[in-house]
Amino acid sequence: MSGLEIERKFLVRGDAYKRVAESSSRIKQGYICSGRGRTVRVRIRDNRGYLTIKGPSANGGITRYEFEKEITIEEAEELFKLCEPGVIDKTRYIVRAGTHVFEVDEFYGDNAGLVMAEVELGSENETYSKPDFIGDEVTGDRRFYNSSLRTYPFSLWGGSLPPEYRTKQPE
């Protein structure tokens, strides 16, 4: 798949998304290169591999070019050897809201306690219904880009999110 990716990103309150999710999958991703808004990412989602190239963001972070290709799990594992230090580890929950799908990511490791959701749109002005657990919008805030979380993880932020956005991690 290639073309423009138009999405909005939000913080998530509580864990109600888990009760309404229609599926979930574990994701591990690394970055072969990331800089000046361009990234080359390798991802393993459950037992499938993907290579993704993204261009710089436009319009406040809402729109960017994206090319994604499924690759074999063996190719993905080999490409991880080329990645910059730091790996993103998360579970993605799929939640339907009206005609849209929200992808809710619960992070682990150095990003534990952070939960974000994104919704892909057909146009920048498209309207959509937000589930109750969707909080403040963080579209365009580079701290919340996965490539940034790799180098400056949530654990180093010093608790800079309001309490309603801090999740408890299993002990």
Side-chain angles (χ1 to χ4, degrees), residues 47-74:
N47 291 315
R48 299 173 86 166
Y50 300 89
L51 181 65
T52 306
I53 301 168
K54 292 189 177 195
S57 295
N59 301 328
I62 295 173
T63 303
R64 70 192 296 193
Y65 175 81
E66 178 184 76
F67 169 86
E68 185 170 77
K69 180 163 179 54
E70 186 169 350
I71 58 177
T72 68
I73 193 76
E74 294 80 15

Side-chain angles (χ1 to χ4, degrees), residues 71-143:
I71 58 177
T72 68
I73 193 76
E74 294 80 15
E75 290 169 326
E77 288 169 350
E78 284 299 311
L79 288 173
F80 262 100
K81 296 174 184 176
L82 301 175
C83 288
E84 298 168 339
V87 172
I88 297 294
D89 183 17
K90 60 189 179 180
T91 295
R92 173 164 288 169
Y93 296 85
I94 303 299
V95 177
R96 291 199 183 277
T99 60
H100 292 89
V101 173
F102 283 79
E103 296 176 331
V104 181
D105 290 341
E106 179 182 0
F107 291 84
Y108 305 110
D110 288 341
N111 291 300
L114 180 62
V115 181
M116 291 188 299
E118 54 189 47
V119 60
E120 288 202 22
L121 304 171
S123 72
E124 292 177 4
N125 298 320
E126 183 176 346
T127 58
Y128 53 94
S129 298
K130 289 192 272 185
D132 292 340
F133 58 81
I134 296 295
D136 293 338
E137 185 167 4
V138 294
T139 303
D141 185 336
R142 294 189 184 283
R143 293 178 303 162

